[in-house]
Amino acid sequence: MTLNVLAVDDSRTMRDMLSMALTGAGFSAVLAEDGEKGLDALKEGQFDAIITDINMPNMDGFSFIGHVRGQDQFKSIPILVLTTEAAPELKAKARNAGATGWVVKPFDPPKLVRALQLVAG
Amino acid sequence: MAVDREQMGEIRALFFTECEELLEALQDGLEAVSNDTSDAETINVIFRAVHSIKGGAGAFGLSQLVNFAHHFETALDEVRSGTIQMDTVALKLFFRAADLLADLTQAARAETTHAPADLAEIERALEELVPEPSAESGGSDSLAQPPEFQPLTLDLALPGLDTAEASGLVSEVLYFAPTAELFVSGSEPLYLFRALSGFASVTSECDIEKVPPLDQLIVDDFHIGWNIHLSGEYSAQEVDEVFEFVQGLCTFRRGTAEDAPELPKLNNPQFEAGETEATTPNPPPAPTVTSAKSTATIRVDLDRVDRLVNLVGELVINQSMLSQSVAEAKQPPSSSVVQGLEEFMQLTRSLQDSVMRIRAQPVKSLFQRMARIVREASAEVGKPVQLKTVGETTEVDKTVIERLADPLTHMIRNAVDHGLEPAEERLAAGKPEQGTVTISASHRSGRVIIEIADDGAGINRKKVHEIALKKGLISAADDLGEAEIDNLLFLPGFSTASTVSNLSGRGVGMDVVRTSIQALGGRISIASTPGEGSIFTISMPLTLAVMDGMVVEVAGQAMVLPLSFIAETMSIDHSMLEELGRETQVVHIREGLAPLLDLGTELGIREPLEDYGDYVALVISHEGDAHSVLIVDRIIDQRQVVIKGLQNSLGKIPGVAAATILGDGQIALILDPLDITTNALGRTKIAPLALAG
């Protein structure tokens, strides 16, 4: 199943890696560099899932998720959080913010794809 | 899913480019804190820069970089949360850590694992800065722990699942009953079933026991559970991974088939893995990546830009050939050919400017490197120094920036080492203890001007004169003006330091600086005021590919002189000349005297002329107010020329900088007027002027 994924990360390297991993799996990807740009992108397209970084300028990942979940049409859109640490507190924090799951950076592309399939089919 | 190694290589290269930007942001942030111009966001920017470097480095298995970035990040996180104050001590450490981070990035880029000597020391200092984690502070991203991820190697084609424990034929029954929260978090049980069916054969029975009667049903609640029968060759870990995201959001049990409760049968309770497979469309449509309107920049390989620059160069040559043909065809100015050509020339000019602008970069990165040089030099000689930068956004050709780094480094070190007085002397002279080195960049008439100023004692001219005498660089009979004495610093082998210090005593002096700047078509001059400091001014062309030149004829040959060196053109009559000795003459110009040189004679292609009355004189401007006058037969044209380097095998040809192709297809040499006037044959009593070049 091909997914249209919105990937939000302020690091160009990370955006490129996400794009490589996603297109490599046959998905399409729209890339945005912070939460604000991510919200803009959401208005423009139809997405099956969102992947977002936490530490970003302008609007960080947690408030981005908050804004997304605050809109009715995105109440149940799967959101994966990219974290650098796999600490349980961080996972709990991500979930409290409304994330569906998480991917620990640096991610291994097949693992990222598996995580996406878990939440978006 | 195969991951392209080549693509990884590209991303790796991109990562290092991004690191440069992040390191710049880090440096900027720290400087803002140190200048008291920071705001609440600054620490976040600093933190993110280090955090992103760590994240990227992890992806490429750069463990040394990851580890150090982690230490740095941990300390910064404490600052962010207010546990540590960013005081002078911490700031100084962070500056050093930032420098070290830059070194480690550089080492990683060069694929060396050479650890800088102060790595352990700074790591320890960062650790000491961070207070022992207390019970309350443990929540904050738990950064205090070492990174727990395993850096990936570049070989990403490894199947991720094979790391699990040894597989064998297994069968088990899972009980899975989602809560309503599971759906709120965006999870969907169907996908979990699909994931399970990816590695095991799956059948399921639905548990509807908890479903209330219809009149008591709350739509938002969830009452269904499943017994999931799994069999196949899979590991327990694979199952755990599937349910990782829904932990705490469901009732989940694992057991053998016997443990599973008997469930009431439904009409169609079975979930066949095969069915879900069938819903998956097989060939996925071509993947697309779009950017959310956010990216206003694109990355282009430098080679491509250079190819474009070369092509535009060819176009300029082609255009001038065309102009020449049109001129020879004697078309009336109103003809469409002439008018069309004029438009073509304008377009070529703007095309060329635009292409050059692609290669242009702000000097900021260069200045930031200098900030580090100042910090290091200041620490080494024990003089407190602050660096001020002006005009960081001034844009200059990338190559010019790169080649300026070495000469600037040397000059900055000189300014700290020789320019500034020791703190006690400064205090005694009523100056602030901390010395200031200012580096500024600006555009002036098609060139970039870079100034390095210090507020030190100024050049000790008496000492400079003595040393030059002692070293035989000048003779006692030479009567030198202040500017001429200052310019002695540029003579080969000159060094005023009484002890060879670690900083500037590396055997190269200002002569090397001057040579490297001149090699780029630049000029350097010095101005100094006793007690107030010295200013070195570098003037550079904006680009190294094209220049405005004056095409002149000398003894039947066409030659090109850079327009930037020509202050004016004039004709000369006898009343303006003064004899100096038998072979030399000087010209009265601009209320002063300038040596008269015949270009033909200097180049050795003709004998000196009897009378220069019918010839054209070009006034060549040197640094400062010095001039010299160069005689040519006539001026042919003034136009842009494409600079074509001479073959290296020809070696350094005195007086010649490069070559170009003229409109008629002729090859002409581009001369270096300063080299010619400096090494002029006619140099006798006015020799000190020549030093000015």
Side-chain angles (χ1 to χ4, degrees):
Chain A
M1 161 122 183
T2 179
L3 299 175
N4 194 24
V5 181
L6 170 63
V8 189
D9 198 311
D10 61 325
S11 155
R12 265 194 345 230
T13 311
M14 213 40 81
R15 284 202 299 277
D16 265 31
M17 299 203 59
L18 284 165
S19 143
M20 183 183 75
L22 293 170
T23 53
F27 299 165
S28 348
V30 169
L31 309 170
E33 63 194 42
D34 60 36
E36 280 175 14
K37 302 264 166 57
L39 288 178
D40 291 345
L42 268 182
K43 285 182 206 145
E44 310 265 321
Q46 292 278 325
F47 297 98
D48 302 303
I50 298 172
I51 302 177
T52 179
D53 185 26
I54 297 300
N55 271 301
M56 292 184 290
N58 299 326
M59 184 191 286
D60 73 8
F62 291 134
S63 32
F64 170 63
I65 298 174
H67 277 90
V68 174
R69 287 275 183 252
Q71 303 175 49
D72 266 353
Q73 71 268 39
F74 299 127
K75 270 213 157 85
S76 58
I77 189 170
I79 304 176
L80 293 182
V81 166
L82 283 166
T83 74
T84 41
E85 328 289 320
E89 304 92 70
L90 206 64
K91 291 177 181 172
K93 216 167 153 187
R95 178 174 290 156
N96 289 340
T100 315
W102 44 85
V103 177
V104 177
K105 280 195 283 193
F107 60 83
D108 153 42
K111 212 165 184 170
L112 173 83
V113 170
R114 279 202 305 280
L116 269 172
Q117 282 165 341
L118 274 183
V119 297
Chain B
M1 195 195 75
V3 173
D4 198 331
R5 273 159 185 269
E6 195 181 318
Q7 216 174 352
M8 274 308 275
E10 273 173 29
I11 297 181
R12 190 176 192 274
L14 168 76
F15 164 66
F16 286 113
T17 316
E18 191 175 15
C19 278
E20 281 173 20
E21 288 161 22
L22 293 168
L23 289 167
E24 201 175 302
L26 170 63
Q27 202 63 251
D28 275 353
L30 289 174
E31 248 143 51
V33 175
S34 115
N35 300 336
D36 265 340
T37 52
S38 59
D39 56 28
E41 180 57 16
T42 311
I43 179 64
N44 290 328
V45 171
I46 294 174
F47 175 83
R48 270 201 304 273
V50 178
H51 181 78
S52 294
I53 290 176
K54 179 179 123 181
F60 300 104
L62 308 170
S63 49
Q64 187 168 264
L65 191 53
V66 172
N67 279 325
F68 182 72
H70 180 77
H71 278 97
F72 198 177
E73 184 192 33
T74 309
L76 287 170
D77 196 47
E78 297 294 336
V79 177
R80 209 161 60 137
S81 60
T83 333
I84 307 181
Q85 285 303 309
M86 184 88 99
D87 54 14
T88 12
V89 179
L91 190 61
K92 209 170 161 190
L93 175 62
F94 290 157
F95 266 121
R96 285 186 71 194
D99 290 345
L100 190 64
L101 192 65
D103 288 345
L104 289 171
T105 310
Q106 202 56 44
R109 186 177 209 161
E111 297 185 33
T112 60
T113 48
H114 167 75
D118 47 357
L119 176 65
E121 179 203 333
I122 295 181
E123 256 180 19
R124 205 169 40 246
L126 286 168
E127 268 169 27
E128 279 164 10
L129 206 60
V130 179
E132 288 296 309
S134 64
E136 310 96 83
S137 68
S140 152
D141 287 18
S142 63
L143 283 169
Q145 288 150 28
E148 65 176 73
F149 54 77
Q150 283 294 310
L152 289 177
T153 59
L154 260 179
D155 189 7
L156 292 175
L158 280 176
L161 291 173
D162 288 357
T163 52
E165 61 214 57
S167 304
L169 198 62
V170 217
S171 81
E172 64 182 318
V173 178
L174 313 176
Y175 181 73
F176 169 56
T179 61
E181 284 77 46
L182 181 141
F183 297 92
V184 174
S185 81
S187 284
E188 166 58 58
L190 173 66
Y191 301 142
L192 306 183
F193 284 91
R194 276 193 195 155
L196 291 172
S197 70
F199 54 81
S201 134
V202 182
T203 55
S204 69
E205 297 155 358
C206 191
D207 171 13
I208 52 163
E209 258 183 8
K210 297 197 181 90
V211 179
L214 199 59
D215 57 341
Q216 292 168 31
L217 190 76
I218 300 167
V219 211
D220 286 344
D221 277 353
F222 198 76
H223 313 280
I224 301 172
W226 289 273
N227 271 335
I228 305 167
H229 298 261
L230 289 183
S231 63
E233 282 184 44
Y234 62 87
S235 70
Q237 195 191 332
E238 283 173 88
V239 177
D240 289 342
E241 273 180 14
V242 169
F243 291 94
E244 187 191 358
F245 297 158
V246 295
Q247 264 176 42
L249 301 175
C250 63
T251 313
F252 181 70
R253 285 192 299 268
R254 292 180 81 161
T256 57
E258 292 79 55
D259 304 335
E262 199 60 34
L263 296 177
K265 295 272 181 236
L266 290 179
N267 280 344
N268 186 17
Q270 295 234 314
F271 174 89
E272 288 292 341
E275 280 173 25
T276 47
E277 291 287 345
T279 63
T280 310
N282 279 353
T288 55
V289 177
T290 47
S291 197
K293 281 190 186 166
S294 54
T295 323
T297 55
I298 55 162
R299 292 184 310 275
V300 182
D301 202 51
L302 197 58
D303 287 346
R304 292 194 194 178
V305 177
D306 286 345
R307 190 173 146 66
L308 194 60
V309 171
N310 282 337
L311 280 175
V312 171
E314 297 299 322
L315 187 68
V316 171
I317 293 174
N318 212 282
Q319 171 226 282
S320 57
M321 288 180 176
L322 197 59
S323 313
Q324 186 134 349
S325 310
V326 170
E328 279 163 9
K330 297 203 167 41
Q331 293 277 333
S334 59
S335 74
S336 56
V337 174
V338 172
Q339 289 192 343
L341 184 67
E342 260 166 32
E343 242 167 76
F344 178 52
M345 283 162 72
Q346 276 176 12
L347 285 174
T348 313
R349 172 67 89 146
S350 35
L351 176 64
Q352 195 190 323
D353 285 350
S354 310
V355 169
M356 291 310 164
R357 219 162 288 157
I358 299 179
R359 278 189 57 94
Q361 283 192 325
V363 292
K364 189 172 174 192
S365 58
L366 183 65
F367 282 12
Q368 280 196 337
R369 284 168 73 175
M370 295 310 130
R372 175 176 184 177
I373 304 293
V374 167
R375 278 200 301 278
E376 288 176 353
S378 152
E380 269 178 69
V381 297
K383 297 177 189 169
V385 184
Q386 63 162 333
L387 177 76
K388 281 191 184 158
T389 55
V390 179
E392 288 187 324
T393 52
T394 310
E395 291 194 334
V396 191
D397 186 274
K398 188 174 160 59
T399 313
V400 176
I401 289 187
E402 282 163 6
R403 302 221 197 137
L404 269 178
D406 279 347
L408 276 190
T409 303
H410 194 80
M411 291 167 75
I412 293 273
R413 282 168 172 272
N414 266 345
V416 175
D417 196 15
H418 303 309
L420 298 174
E421 320 89 321
E424 318 82 68
E425 269 178 45
R426 291 182 64 87
L427 288 172
K431 292 183 183 180
E433 185 184 1
Q434 188 181 44
T436 303
V437 174
T438 309
I439 173 163
S440 58
S442 59
H443 281 157
R444 211 177 294 160
S445 52
R447 292 177 77 81
V448 60
I449 310 293
I450 293 177
E451 281 186 356
I452 295 139
D454 65 66
D455 67 344
I459 290 173
N460 186 338
R461 298 196 172 106
K462 197 164 159 273
K463 201 168 153 197
V464 168
H465 192 259
E466 273 170 21
I467 289 172
L469 262 183
K470 207 164 85 191
K471 298 204 168 177
L473 299 169
I474 51 172
S475 75
D478 289 332
D479 179 19
L480 302 183
E482 288 183 349
E484 288 156 5
I485 294 178
D486 292 349
N487 276 299
L488 290 173
L489 292 183
F490 292 119
L491 287 182
F494 189 93
S495 173
T496 56
S498 36
T499 56
V500 175
S501 79
N502 202 11
L503 282 186
S504 18
R506 288 178 305 172
V508 298
M510 289 302 290
D511 61 316
V512 176
V513 170
R514 184 174 66 168
T515 312
S516 49
I517 284 170
Q518 283 177 348
L520 292 170
R523 289 178 273 164
I524 179 166
S525 65
I526 181 171
S528 184
T529 315
E532 287 176 25
S534 311
I535 303 175
F536 287 87
T537 308
I538 299 172
S539 148
M540 300 284 298
L542 288 177
T543 166
L544 304 177
V546 182
M547 65 163 195
D548 283 305
M550 183 177 274
V551 187
V552 298
E553 189 183 302
V554 180
Q557 290 193 33
M559 313 242 171
V560 178
L561 289 160
L563 206 55
S564 55
F565 286 98
I566 300 172
E568 63 182 285
T569 61
M570 56 195 275
S571 55
I572 288 180
D573 61 54
H574 285 293
S575 66
M576 300 163 74
L577 296 178
E578 294 274 352
E579 301 287 329
L580 270 183
R582 273 177 45 216
E583 289 185 326
T584 20
Q585 288 173 306
V586 289
V587 192
H588 283 278
I589 49 157
R590 300 187 175 196
E591 296 157 11
L593 289 170
L596 180 73
L597 307 168
D598 173 39
L599 188 53
T601 313
E602 294 302 335
L603 293 173
I605 49 181
R606 74 166 165 226
E607 286 300 303
L609 301 171
E610 300 240 316
D611 179 17
Y612 293 102
D614 294 335
Y615 291 78
V616 179
L618 309 177
V619 180
I620 305 294
S621 63
H622 296 239
E623 297 307 333
D625 281 331
H627 293 89
S628 53
V629 175
L630 213 52
I631 297 291
V632 300
D633 297 7
R634 68 183 182 101
I635 295 170
I636 301 174
D637 198 1
Q638 188 173 309
R639 70 154 75 108
Q640 279 205 309
V641 296
V642 178
I643 302 170
K644 298 274 178 192
L646 293 173
Q647 259 187 328
N648 287 338
S649 57
L650 295 174
K652 164 89 182 122
I653 304 171
V656 178
T660 190
I661 304 168
L662 296 177
D664 54 5
Q666 226 191 113
I667 290 172
L669 293 177
I670 300 175
L671 301 178
D672 178 348
L674 295 186
D675 198 28
I676 291 174
T677 52
T678 308
N679 302 310
L681 299 168
R683 202 176 102 189
T684 48
K685 288 179 182 168
I686 27 173
L689 258 178
L691 290 169

